[in-house]
Amino acid sequence: MKTNYHTHTTFCDGKNSPKEIAEAAVQKGFGILGFSSHSLYPHAADWHMDAVDHQKYFDCVRALAKEYSGKLKIYAGLEADYVPELACDFDWAYKQFAPDYLIASVHYLNNKRGFFTVDDTEQNVAEGLARVYDGDGKKAVCEYFDRQRQMLASQKFLILGHPDVIRKRNGSLKFFDECDSWYKKELKATAKAAARAGVLVEINTGGLARGALDDVYPSAEFLEMFFKEGVPVTFSSDAHAADQLDFAFDRAELAAVRAGYTQAAYFEDGQVKFRDLNGSLKY
């Protein structure tokens, strides 16, 4: 069964409408498709869905679920962001929309000097690190993972989204060393937090699809830590266009097998279920 729960459309920063994405999912042989518009409800941000569009989004996706019944299971979720200073109460804010699931993702770092997006262009990440952290990459990275752990403890989520997306521009900017002991300590603490929260961790191919790095999120070492903590994995393209829906899923599955996983999780009819992985995969 081919599934994807991390999907963006024109309701936020995606390039295709929900209808176009659903049709592509059928053509690509998907069994389950989950939509997950960026949300900072009730606040606004450049690439997040406007607060006033939330009900329209859920109405649209649920209408598609009825239209494609028997051909494709469609779920309406959200990729929720976390900015503690905005005091987002996920339980209050999202209860009225009754999303089928939430993805927990951290995109922003901030302090008294301002904020910046860690998942951004090389130039903007470099500028943000200099402006907000005086170029102290270690401090920024530690705060990123700390914020992720805070988010996991704040609300019930189904999936932890791209848990080390802060690596995205590290290959070119080199603002931290992934071999340092302090970094590995952050990874380990975050894997333990994910286990306590009872979430799935996604193996996300979005960085590959957009040419940001030649790897999935999380890294091989981080994924092994999730495995040791008993955190289930699911596969995600983080698609922002219809043609990315199943991008590099072979690499995602291979990464899972190499980390020790024999099964992948999927979400169906309100329950987490499992399917066996292909242990003979090669890349």
Side-chain angles (χ1 to χ4, degrees), residues 45-69:
D46 289 344
W47 39 275
H48 286 65
M49 186 163 55
D50 288 341
V52 295
D53 287 334
H54 277 62
Q55 191 60 62
K56 188 189 303 182
Y57 162 76
F58 281 102
D59 289 345
C60 174
V61 173
R62 285 169 178 151
L64 277 178
K66 292 181 180 179
E67 180 181 345
Y68 281 81
S69 178

mmCIF file with all atom_site columns, all heavy atoms in Angstrom, residues 45-69:
data_model
loop_
_atom_site.group_PDB
_atom_site.id
_atom_site.type_symbol
_atom_site.label_atom_id
_atom_site.label_alt_id
_atom_site.label_comp_id
_atom_site.label_asym_id
_atom_site.label_entity_id
_atom_site.label_seq_id
_atom_site.pdbx_PDB_ins_code
_atom_site.Cartn_x
_atom_site.Cartn_y
_atom_site.Cartn_z
_atom_site.occupancy
_atom_site.B_iso_or_equiv
_atom_site.pdbx_formal_charge
_atom_site.auth_seq_id
_atom_site.auth_comp_id
_atom_site.auth_asym_id
_atom_site.auth_atom_id
_atom_site.pdbx_PDB_model_num
ATOM 1   N N   . ALA A 1 45 ? 1.140   33.620 8.724  1.00 0.00 ? 45 ALA A N   1
ATOM 2   C CA  . ALA A 1 45 ? 2.530   33.673 8.280  1.00 0.00 ? 45 ALA A CA  1
ATOM 3   C C   . ALA A 1 45 ? 2.526   33.554 6.763  1.00 0.00 ? 45 ALA A C   1
ATOM 4   O O   . ALA A 1 45 ? 1.534   33.126 6.166  1.00 0.00 ? 45 ALA A O   1
ATOM 5   C CB  . ALA A 1 45 ? 3.349   32.551 8.909  1.00 0.00 ? 45 ALA A CB  1
ATOM 6   N N   . ASP A 1 46 ? 3.638   33.927 6.142  1.00 0.00 ? 46 ASP A N   1
ATOM 7   C CA  . ASP A 1 46 ? 3.678   34.027 4.682  1.00 0.00 ? 46 ASP A CA  1
ATOM 8   C C   . ASP A 1 46 ? 3.236   32.753 3.976  1.00 0.00 ? 46 ASP A C   1
ATOM 9   O O   . ASP A 1 46 ? 2.491   32.807 3.015  1.00 0.00 ? 46 ASP A O   1
ATOM 10  C CB  . ASP A 1 46 ? 5.097   34.389 4.219  1.00 0.00 ? 46 ASP A CB  1
ATOM 11  C CG  . ASP A 1 46 ? 5.455   35.818 4.566  1.00 0.00 ? 46 ASP A CG  1
ATOM 12  O OD1 . ASP A 1 46 ? 4.536   36.589 4.868  1.00 0.00 ? 46 ASP A OD1 1
ATOM 13  O OD2 . ASP A 1 46 ? 6.648   36.159 4.534  1.00 0.00 ? 46 ASP A OD2 1
ATOM 14  N N   . TRP A 1 47 ? 3.713   31.598 4.426  1.00 0.00 ? 47 TRP A N   1
ATOM 15  C CA  . TRP A 1 47 ? 3.438   30.357 3.703  1.00 0.00 ? 47 TRP A CA  1
ATOM 16  C C   . TRP A 1 47 ? 2.531   29.413 4.467  1.00 0.00 ? 47 TRP A C   1
ATOM 17  O O   . TRP A 1 47 ? 2.409   28.247 4.125  1.00 0.00 ? 47 TRP A O   1
ATOM 18  C CB  . TRP A 1 47 ? 4.742   29.658 3.304  1.00 0.00 ? 47 TRP A CB  1
ATOM 19  C CG  . TRP A 1 47 ? 5.821   29.704 4.329  1.00 0.00 ? 47 TRP A CG  1
ATOM 20  C CD1 . TRP A 1 47 ? 6.720   30.707 4.525  1.00 0.00 ? 47 TRP A CD1 1
ATOM 21  C CD2 . TRP A 1 47 ? 6.114   28.713 5.311  1.00 0.00 ? 47 TRP A CD2 1
ATOM 22  N NE1 . TRP A 1 47 ? 7.554   30.397 5.566  1.00 0.00 ? 47 TRP A NE1 1
ATOM 23  C CE2 . TRP A 1 47 ? 7.211   29.179 6.063  1.00 0.00 ? 47 TRP A CE2 1
ATOM 24  C CE3 . TRP A 1 47 ? 5.554   27.468 5.619  1.00 0.00 ? 47 TRP A CE3 1
ATOM 25  C CZ2 . TRP A 1 47 ? 7.760   28.455 7.107  1.00 0.00 ? 47 TRP A CZ2 1
ATOM 26  C CZ3 . TRP A 1 47 ? 6.101   26.747 6.670  1.00 0.00 ? 47 TRP A CZ3 1
ATOM 27  C CH2 . TRP A 1 47 ? 7.191   27.245 7.392  1.00 0.00 ? 47 TRP A CH2 1
ATOM 28  N N   . HIS A 1 48 ? 1.891   29.922 5.502  1.00 0.00 ? 48 HIS A N   1
ATOM 29  C CA  . HIS A 1 48 ? 0.888   29.146 6.227  1.00 0.00 ? 48 HIS A CA  1
ATOM 30  C C   . HIS A 1 48 ? -0.510  29.490 5.707  1.00 0.00 ? 48 HIS A C   1
ATOM 31  O O   . HIS A 1 48 ? -0.735  30.547 5.138  1.00 0.00 ? 48 HIS A O   1
ATOM 32  C CB  . HIS A 1 48 ? 0.953   29.441 7.722  1.00 0.00 ? 48 HIS A CB  1
ATOM 33  C CG  . HIS A 1 48 ? 2.133   28.817 8.399  1.00 0.00 ? 48 HIS A CG  1
ATOM 34  N ND1 . HIS A 1 48 ? 3.423   29.177 8.101  1.00 0.00 ? 48 HIS A ND1 1
ATOM 35  C CD2 . HIS A 1 48 ? 2.228   27.855 9.343  1.00 0.00 ? 48 HIS A CD2 1
ATOM 36  C CE1 . HIS A 1 48 ? 4.261   28.465 8.835  1.00 0.00 ? 48 HIS A CE1 1
ATOM 37  N NE2 . HIS A 1 48 ? 3.563   27.659 9.594  1.00 0.00 ? 48 HIS A NE2 1
ATOM 38  N N   . MET A 1 49 ? -1.429  28.590 5.953  1.00 0.00 ? 49 MET A N   1
ATOM 39  C CA  . MET A 1 49 ? -2.808  28.821 5.553  1.00 0.00 ? 49 MET A CA  1
ATOM 40  C C   . MET A 1 49 ? -3.406  29.941 6.408  1.00 0.00 ? 49 MET A C   1
ATOM 41  O O   . MET A 1 49 ? -3.226  29.980 7.621  1.00 0.00 ? 49 MET A O   1
ATOM 42  C CB  . MET A 1 49 ? -3.604  27.525 5.741  1.00 0.00 ? 49 MET A CB  1
ATOM 43  C CG  . MET A 1 49 ? -5.023  27.584 5.234  1.00 0.00 ? 49 MET A CG  1
ATOM 44  S SD  . MET A 1 49 ? -5.729  25.924 5.033  1.00 0.00 ? 49 MET A SD  1
ATOM 45  C CE  . MET A 1 49 ? -5.482  25.201 6.675  1.00 0.00 ? 49 MET A CE  1
ATOM 46  N N   . ASP A 1 50 ? -4.125  30.848 5.767  1.00 0.00 ? 50 ASP A N   1
ATOM 47  C CA  . ASP A 1 50 ? -4.797  31.915 6.506  1.00 0.00 ? 50 ASP A CA  1
ATOM 48  C C   . ASP A 1 50 ? -5.845  31.323 7.438  1.00 0.00 ? 50 ASP A C   1
ATOM 49  O O   . ASP A 1 50 ? -6.502  30.323 7.109  1.00 0.00 ? 50 ASP A O   1
ATOM 50  C CB  . ASP A 1 50 ? -5.474  32.894 5.541  1.00 0.00 ? 50 ASP A CB  1
ATOM 51  C CG  . ASP A 1 50 ? -4.475  33.766 4.802  1.00 0.00 ? 50 ASP A CG  1
ATOM 52  O OD1 . ASP A 1 50 ? -3.323  33.886 5.266  1.00 0.00 ? 50 ASP A OD1 1
ATOM 53  O OD2 . ASP A 1 50 ? -4.845  34.314 3.741  1.00 0.00 ? 50 ASP A OD2 1
ATOM 54  N N   . ALA A 1 51 ? -6.018  31.947 8.591  1.00 0.00 ? 51 ALA A N   1
ATOM 55  C CA  . ALA A 1 51 ? -6.985  31.456 9.569  1.00 0.00 ? 51 ALA A CA  1
ATOM 56  C C   . ALA A 1 51 ? -8.379  31.342 8.963  1.00 0.00 ? 51 ALA A C   1
ATOM 57  O O   . ALA A 1 51 ? -9.106  30.369 9.214  1.00 0.00 ? 51 ALA A O   1
ATOM 58  C CB  . ALA A 1 51 ? -7.007  32.370 10.790 1.00 0.00 ? 51 ALA A CB  1
ATOM 59  N N   . VAL A 1 52 ? -8.748  32.319 8.133  1.00 0.00 ? 52 VAL A N   1
ATOM 60  C CA  . VAL A 1 52 ? -10.096 32.337 7.562  1.00 0.00 ? 52 VAL A CA  1
ATOM 61  C C   . VAL A 1 52 ? -10.309 31.232 6.534  1.00 0.00 ? 52 VAL A C   1
ATOM 62  O O   . VAL A 1 52 ? -11.447 30.934 6.163  1.00 0.00 ? 52 VAL A O   1
ATOM 63  C CB  . VAL A 1 52 ? -10.401 33.706 6.912  1.00 0.00 ? 52 VAL A CB  1
ATOM 64  C CG1 . VAL A 1 52 ? -10.437 34.799 7.962  1.00 0.00 ? 52 VAL A CG1 1
ATOM 65  C CG2 . VAL A 1 52 ? -9.387  34.040 5.820  1.00 0.00 ? 52 VAL A CG2 1
ATOM 66  N N   . ASP A 1 53 ? -9.208  30.604 6.078  1.00 0.00 ? 53 ASP A N   1
ATOM 67  C CA  . ASP A 1 53 ? -9.326  29.563 5.059  1.00 0.00 ? 53 ASP A CA  1
ATOM 68  C C   . ASP A 1 53 ? -9.404  28.162 5.640  1.00 0.00 ? 53 ASP A C   1
ATOM 69  O O   . ASP A 1 53 ? -9.581  27.182 4.888  1.00 0.00 ? 53 ASP A O   1
ATOM 70  C CB  . ASP A 1 53 ? -8.140  29.628 4.094  1.00 0.00 ? 53 ASP A CB  1
ATOM 71  C CG  . ASP A 1 53 ? -8.225  30.819 3.157  1.00 0.00 ? 53 ASP A CG  1
ATOM 72  O OD1 . ASP A 1 53 ? -9.353  31.286 2.908  1.00 0.00 ? 53 ASP A OD1 1
ATOM 73  O OD2 . ASP A 1 53 ? -7.169  31.277 2.684  1.00 0.00 ? 53 ASP A OD2 1
ATOM 74  N N   . HIS A 1 54 ? -9.268  28.025 6.956  1.00 0.00 ? 54 HIS A N   1
ATOM 75  C CA  . HIS A 1 54 ? -9.234  26.691 7.547  1.00 0.00 ? 54 HIS A CA  1
ATOM 76  C C   . HIS A 1 54 ? -10.517 25.904 7.288  1.00 0.00 ? 54 HIS A C   1
ATOM 77  O O   . HIS A 1 54 ? -10.465 24.740 6.887  1.00 0.00 ? 54 HIS A O   1
ATOM 78  C CB  . HIS A 1 54 ? -8.956  26.771 9.051  1.00 0.00 ? 54 HIS A CB  1
ATOM 79  C CG  . HIS A 1 54 ? -7.501  26.893 9.385  1.00 0.00 ? 54 HIS A CG  1
ATOM 80  N ND1 . HIS A 1 54 ? -6.735  27.959 8.972  1.00 0.00 ? 54 HIS A ND1 1
ATOM 81  C CD2 . HIS A 1 54 ? -6.664  26.073 10.092 1.00 0.00 ? 54 HIS A CD2 1
ATOM 82  C CE1 . HIS A 1 54 ? -5.498  27.799 9.404  1.00 0.00 ? 54 HIS A CE1 1
ATOM 83  N NE2 . HIS A 1 54 ? -5.425  26.667 10.083 1.00 0.00 ? 54 HIS A NE2 1
ATOM 84  N N   . GLN A 1 55 ? -11.671 26.524 7.502  1.00 0.00 ? 55 GLN A N   1
ATOM 85  C CA  . GLN A 1 55 ? -12.919 25.797 7.302  1.00 0.00 ? 55 GLN A CA  1
ATOM 86  C C   . GLN A 1 55 ? -13.114 25.427 5.835  1.00 0.00 ? 55 GLN A C   1
ATOM 87  O O   . GLN A 1 55 ? -13.555 24.314 5.512  1.00 0.00 ? 55 GLN A O   1
ATOM 88  C CB  . GLN A 1 55 ? -14.109 26.625 7.795  1.00 0.00 ? 55 GLN A CB  1
ATOM 89  C CG  . GLN A 1 55 ? -15.412 25.822 7.870  1.00 0.00 ? 55 GLN A CG  1
ATOM 90  C CD  . GLN A 1 55 ? -15.297 24.647 8.825  1.00 0.00 ? 55 GLN A CD  1
ATOM 91  O OE1 . GLN A 1 55 ? -15.075 24.826 10.019 1.00 0.00 ? 55 GLN A OE1 1
ATOM 92  N NE2 . GLN A 1 55 ? -15.448 23.422 8.327  1.00 0.00 ? 55 GLN A NE2 1
ATOM 93  N N   . LYS A 1 56 ? -12.747 26.345 4.942  1.00 0.00 ? 56 LYS A N   1
ATOM 94  C CA  . LYS A 1 56 ? -12.847 26.074 3.504  1.00 0.00 ? 56 LYS A CA  1
ATOM 95  C C   . LYS A 1 56 ? -11.958 24.888 3.123  1.00 0.00 ? 56 LYS A C   1
ATOM 96  O O   . LYS A 1 56 ? -12.344 24.033 2.315  1.00 0.00 ? 56 LYS A O   1
ATOM 97  C CB  . LYS A 1 56 ? -12.438 27.323 2.719  1.00 0.00 ? 56 LYS A CB  1
ATOM 98  C CG  . LYS A 1 56 ? -12.679 27.234 1.224  1.00 0.00 ? 56 LYS A CG  1
ATOM 99  C CD  . LYS A 1 56 ? -12.051 28.407 0.492  1.00 0.00 ? 56 LYS A CD  1
ATOM 100 C CE  . LYS A 1 56 ? -12.555 29.734 1.013  1.00 0.00 ? 56 LYS A CE  1
ATOM 101 N NZ  . LYS A 1 56 ? -11.962 30.877 0.249  1.00 0.00 ? 56 LYS A NZ  1
ATOM 102 N N   . TYR A 1 57 ? -10.773 24.843 3.709  1.00 0.00 ? 57 TYR A N   1
ATOM 103 C CA  . TYR A 1 57 ? -9.836  23.748 3.444  1.00 0.00 ? 57 TYR A CA  1
ATOM 104 C C   . TYR A 1 57 ? -10.427 22.407 3.874  1.00 0.00 ? 57 TYR A C   1
ATOM 105 O O   . TYR A 1 57 ? -10.433 21.443 3.098  1.00 0.00 ? 57 TYR A O   1
ATOM 106 C CB  . TYR A 1 57 ? -8.530  24.032 4.187  1.00 0.00 ? 57 TYR A CB  1
ATOM 107 C CG  . TYR A 1 57 ? -7.616  22.844 4.391  1.00 0.00 ? 57 TYR A CG  1
ATOM 108 C CD1 . TYR A 1 57 ? -6.842  22.337 3.348  1.00 0.00 ? 57 TYR A CD1 1
ATOM 109 C CD2 . TYR A 1 57 ? -7.510  22.234 5.641  1.00 0.00 ? 57 TYR A CD2 1
ATOM 110 C CE1 . TYR A 1 57 ? -5.989  21.256 3.548  1.00 0.00 ? 57 TYR A CE1 1
ATOM 111 C CE2 . TYR A 1 57 ? -6.661  21.166 5.850  1.00 0.00 ? 57 TYR A CE2 1
ATOM 112 C CZ  . TYR A 1 57 ? -5.901  20.673 4.808  1.00 0.00 ? 57 TYR A CZ  1
ATOM 113 O OH  . TYR A 1 57 ? -5.070  19.612 5.009  1.00 0.00 ? 57 TYR A OH  1
ATOM 114 N N   . PHE A 1 58 ? -10.940 22.337 5.097  1.00 0.00 ? 58 PHE A N   1
ATOM 115 C CA  . PHE A 1 58 ? -11.503 21.080 5.579  1.00 0.00 ? 58 PHE A CA  1
ATOM 116 C C   . PHE A 1 58 ? -12.730 20.670 4.777  1.00 0.00 ? 58 PHE A C   1
ATOM 117 O O   . PHE A 1 58 ? -12.923 19.485 4.476  1.00 0.00 ? 58 PHE A O   1
ATOM 118 C CB  . PHE A 1 58 ? -11.823 21.177 7.067  1.00 0.00 ? 58 PHE A CB  1
ATOM 119 C CG  . PHE A 1 58 ? -10.614 21.016 7.937  1.00 0.00 ? 58 PHE A CG  1
ATOM 120 C CD1 . PHE A 1 58 ? -10.008 22.116 8.518  1.00 0.00 ? 58 PHE A CD1 1
ATOM 121 C CD2 . PHE A 1 58 ? -10.055 19.767 8.154  1.00 0.00 ? 58 PHE A CD2 1
ATOM 122 C CE1 . PHE A 1 58 ? -8.875  21.970 9.303  1.00 0.00 ? 58 PHE A CE1 1
ATOM 123 C CE2 . PHE A 1 58 ? -8.923  19.608 8.938  1.00 0.00 ? 58 PHE A CE2 1
ATOM 124 C CZ  . PHE A 1 58 ? -8.328  20.713 9.515  1.00 0.00 ? 58 PHE A CZ  1
ATOM 125 N N   . ASP A 1 59 ? -13.564 21.636 4.407  1.00 0.00 ? 59 ASP A N   1
ATOM 126 C CA  . ASP A 1 59 ? -14.735 21.324 3.588  1.00 0.00 ? 59 ASP A CA  1
ATOM 127 C C   . ASP A 1 59 ? -14.312 20.757 2.234  1.00 0.00 ? 59 ASP A C   1
ATOM 128 O O   . ASP A 1 59 ? -14.908 19.791 1.731  1.00 0.00 ? 59 ASP A O   1
ATOM 129 C CB  . ASP A 1 59 ? -15.581 22.579 3.373  1.00 0.00 ? 59 ASP A CB  1
ATOM 130 C CG  . ASP A 1 59 ? -16.295 23.032 4.640  1.00 0.00 ? 59 ASP A CG  1
ATOM 131 O OD1 . ASP A 1 59 ? -16.371 22.233 5.602  1.00 0.00 ? 59 ASP A OD1 1
ATOM 132 O OD2 . ASP A 1 59 ? -16.769 24.186 4.674  1.00 0.00 ? 59 ASP A OD2 1
ATOM 133 N N   . CYS A 1 60 ? -13.275 21.352 1.645  1.00 0.00 ? 60 CYS A N   1
ATOM 134 C CA  . CYS A 1 60 ? -12.788 20.915 0.338  1.00 0.00 ? 60 CYS A CA  1
ATOM 135 C C   . CYS A 1 60 ? -12.240 19.490 0.402  1.00 0.00 ? 60 CYS A C   1
ATOM 136 O O   . CYS A 1 60 ? -12.593 18.639 -0.422 1.00 0.00 ? 60 CYS A O   1
ATOM 137 C CB  . CYS A 1 60 ? -11.709 21.880 -0.150 1.00 0.00 ? 60 CYS A CB  1
ATOM 138 S SG  . CYS A 1 60 ? -10.895 21.372 -1.687 1.00 0.00 ? 60 CYS A SG  1
ATOM 139 N N   . VAL A 1 61 ? -11.385 19.214 1.384  1.00 0.00 ? 61 VAL A N   1
ATOM 140 C CA  . VAL A 1 61 ? -10.761 17.889 1.480  1.00 0.00 ? 61 VAL A CA  1
ATOM 141 C C   . VAL A 1 61 ? -11.803 16.826 1.799  1.00 0.00 ? 61 VAL A C   1
ATOM 142 O O   . VAL A 1 61 ? -11.772 15.719 1.242  1.00 0.00 ? 61 VAL A O   1
ATOM 143 C CB  . VAL A 1 61 ? -9.637  17.902 2.532  1.00 0.00 ? 61 VAL A CB  1
ATOM 144 C CG1 . VAL A 1 61 ? -9.092  16.486 2.755  1.00 0.00 ? 61 VAL A CG1 1
ATOM 145 C CG2 . VAL A 1 61 ? -8.515  18.837 2.097  1.00 0.00 ? 61 VAL A CG2 1
ATOM 146 N N   . ARG A 1 62 ? -12.750 17.142 2.657  1.00 0.00 ? 62 ARG A N   1
ATOM 147 C CA  . ARG A 1 62 ? -13.759 16.150 3.014  1.00 0.00 ? 62 ARG A CA  1
ATOM 148 C C   . ARG A 1 62 ? -14.728 15.888 1.861  1.00 0.00 ? 62 ARG A C   1
ATOM 149 O O   . ARG A 1 62 ? -15.241 14.775 1.719  1.00 0.00 ? 62 ARG A O   1
ATOM 150 C CB  . ARG A 1 62 ? -14.476 16.587 4.286  1.00 0.00 ? 62 ARG A CB  1
ATOM 151 C CG  . ARG A 1 62 ? -13.567 16.357 5.498  1.00 0.00 ? 62 ARG A CG  1
ATOM 152 C CD  . ARG A 1 62 ? -14.028 16.974 6.769  1.00 0.00 ? 62 ARG A CD  1
ATOM 153 N NE  . ARG A 1 62 ? -13.071 16.603 7.831  1.00 0.00 ? 62 ARG A NE  1
ATOM 154 C CZ  . ARG A 1 62 ? -12.818 17.335 8.895  1.00 0.00 ? 62 ARG A CZ  1
ATOM 155 N NH1 . ARG A 1 62 ? -13.438 18.490 9.070  1.00 0.00 ? 62 ARG A NH1 1
ATOM 156 N NH2 . ARG A 1 62 ? -11.942 16.928 9.805  1.00 0.00 ? 62 ARG A NH2 1
ATOM 157 N N   . ALA A 1 63 ? -14.951 16.893 1.032  1.00 0.00 ? 63 ALA A N   1
ATOM 158 C CA  . ALA A 1 63 ? -15.763 16.669 -0.164 1.00 0.00 ? 63 ALA A CA  1
ATOM 159 C C   . ALA A 1 63 ? -15.016 15.743 -1.137 1.00 0.00 ? 63 ALA A C   1
ATOM 160 O O   . ALA A 1 63 ? -15.625 14.864 -1.762 1.00 0.00 ? 63 ALA A O   1
ATOM 161 C CB  . ALA A 1 63 ? -16.082 18.000 -0.834 1.00 0.00 ? 63 ALA A CB  1
ATOM 162 N N   . LEU A 1 64 ? -13.707 15.932 -1.238 1.00 0.00 ? 64 LEU A N   1
ATOM 163 C CA  . LEU A 1 64 ? -12.897 15.047 -2.081 1.00 0.00 ? 64 LEU A CA  1
ATOM 164 C C   . LEU A 1 64 ? -12.918 13.617 -1.567 1.00 0.00 ? 64 LEU A C   1
ATOM 165 O O   . LEU A 1 64 ? -12.948 12.663 -2.345 1.00 0.00 ? 64 LEU A O   1
ATOM 166 C CB  . LEU A 1 64 ? -11.454 15.539 -2.135 1.00 0.00 ? 64 LEU A CB  1
ATOM 167 C CG  . LEU A 1 64 ? -11.105 16.642 -3.126 1.00 0.00 ? 64 LEU A CG  1
ATOM 168 C CD1 . LEU A 1 64 ? -9.636  17.011 -2.992 1.00 0.00 ? 64 LEU A CD1 1
ATOM 169 C CD2 . LEU A 1 64 ? -11.410 16.225 -4.564 1.00 0.00 ? 64 LEU A CD2 1
ATOM 170 N N   . ALA A 1 65 ? -12.889 13.463 -0.236 1.00 0.00 ? 65 ALA A N   1
ATOM 171 C CA  . ALA A 1 65 ? -12.914 12.125 0.356  1.00 0.00 ? 65 ALA A CA  1
ATOM 172 C C   . ALA A 1 65 ? -14.176 11.374 -0.069 1.00 0.00 ? 65 ALA A C   1
ATOM 173 O O   . ALA A 1 65 ? -14.134 10.165 -0.361 1.00 0.00 ? 65 ALA A O   1
ATOM 174 C CB  . ALA A 1 65 ? -12.840 12.222 1.875  1.00 0.00 ? 65 ALA A CB  1
ATOM 175 N N   . LYS A 1 66 ? -15.296 12.083 -0.141 1.00 0.00 ? 66 LYS A N   1
ATOM 176 C CA  . LYS A 1 66 ? -16.544 11.457 -0.593 1.00 0.00 ? 66 LYS A CA  1
ATOM 177 C C   . LYS A 1 66 ? -16.488 11.168 -2.086 1.00 0.00 ? 66 LYS A C   1
ATOM 178 O O   . LYS A 1 66 ? -16.919 10.103 -2.544 1.00 0.00 ? 66 LYS A O   1
ATOM 179 C CB  . LYS A 1 66 ? -17.724 12.371 -0.271 1.00 0.00 ? 66 LYS A CB  1
ATOM 180 C CG  . LYS A 1 66 ? -18.007 12.519 1.223  1.00 0.00 ? 66 LYS A CG  1
ATOM 181 C CD  . LYS A 1 66 ? -19.205 13.416 1.459  1.00 0.00 ? 66 LYS A CD  1
ATOM 182 C CE  . LYS A 1 66 ? -19.496 13.556 2.959  1.00 0.00 ? 66 LYS A CE  1
ATOM 183 N NZ  . LYS A 1 66 ? -20.651 14.458 3.208  1.00 0.00 ? 66 LYS A NZ  1
ATOM 184 N N   . GLU A 1 67 ? -15.960 12.106 -2.856 1.00 0.00 ? 67 GLU A N   1
ATOM 185 C CA  . GLU A 1 67 ? -15.895 11.947 -4.309 1.00 0.00 ? 67 GLU A CA  1
ATOM 186 C C   . GLU A 1 67 ? -15.032 10.751 -4.714 1.00 0.00 ? 67 GLU A C   1
ATOM 187 O O   . GLU A 1 67 ? -15.346 10.035 -5.665 1.00 0.00 ? 67 GLU A O   1
ATOM 188 C CB  . GLU A 1 67 ? -15.330 13.224 -4.937 1.00 0.00 ? 67 GLU A CB  1
ATOM 189 C CG  . GLU A 1 67 ? -15.216 13.173 -6.448 1.00 0.00 ? 67 GLU A CG  1
ATOM 190 C CD  . GLU A 1 67 ? -14.621 14.445 -7.034 1.00 0.00 ? 67 GLU A CD  1
ATOM 191 O OE1 . GLU A 1 67 ? -14.559 15.470 -6.320 1.00 0.00 ? 67 GLU A OE1 1
ATOM 192 O OE2 . GLU A 1 67 ? -14.199 14.402 -8.209 1.00 0.00 ? 67 GLU A OE2 1
ATOM 193 N N   . TYR A 1 68 ? -13.937 10.530 -3.978 1.00 0.00 ? 68 TYR A N   1
ATOM 194 C CA  . TYR A 1 68 ? -12.999 9.467  -4.338 1.00 0.00 ? 68 TYR A CA  1
ATOM 195 C C   . TYR A 1 68 ? -13.212 8.194  -3.536 1.00 0.00 ? 68 TYR A C   1
ATOM 196 O O   . TYR A 1 68 ? -12.397 7.272  -3.623 1.00 0.00 ? 68 TYR A O   1
ATOM 197 C CB  . TYR A 1 68 ? -11.564 9.964  -4.159 1.00 0.00 ? 68 TYR A CB  1
ATOM 198 C CG  . TYR A 1 68 ? -11.091 10.837 -5.303 1.00 0.00 ? 68 TYR A CG  1
ATOM 199 C CD1 . TYR A 1 68 ? -11.443 12.182 -5.363 1.00 0.00 ? 68 TYR A CD1 1
ATOM 200 C CD2 . TYR A 1 68 ? -10.320 10.313 -6.329 1.00 0.00 ? 68 TYR A CD2 1
ATOM 201 C CE1 . TYR A 1 68 ? -11.028 12.993 -6.412 1.00 0.00 ? 68 TYR A CE1 1
ATOM 202 C CE2 . TYR A 1 68 ? -9.896  11.105 -7.386 1.00 0.00 ? 68 TYR A CE2 1
ATOM 203 C CZ  . TYR A 1 68 ? -10.251 12.443 -7.423 1.00 0.00 ? 68 TYR A CZ  1
ATOM 204 O OH  . TYR A 1 68 ? -9.850  13.228 -8.466 1.00 0.00 ? 68 TYR A OH  1
ATOM 205 N N   . SER A 1 69 ? -14.292 8.134  -2.793 1.00 0.00 ? 69 SER A N   1
ATOM 206 C CA  . SER A 1 69 ? -14.581 6.937  -2.002 1.00 0.00 ? 69 SER A CA  1
ATOM 207 C C   . SER A 1 69 ? -14.599 5.700  -2.894 1.00 0.00 ? 69 SER A C   1
ATOM 208 O O   . SER A 1 69 ? -15.212 5.693  -3.955 1.00 0.00 ? 69 SER A O   1
ATOM 209 C CB  . SER A 1 69 ? -15.937 7.090  -1.304 1.00 0.00 ? 69 SER A CB  1
ATOM 210 O OG  . SER A 1 69 ? -16.252 5.925  -0.577 1.00 0.00 ? 69 SER A OG  1
#
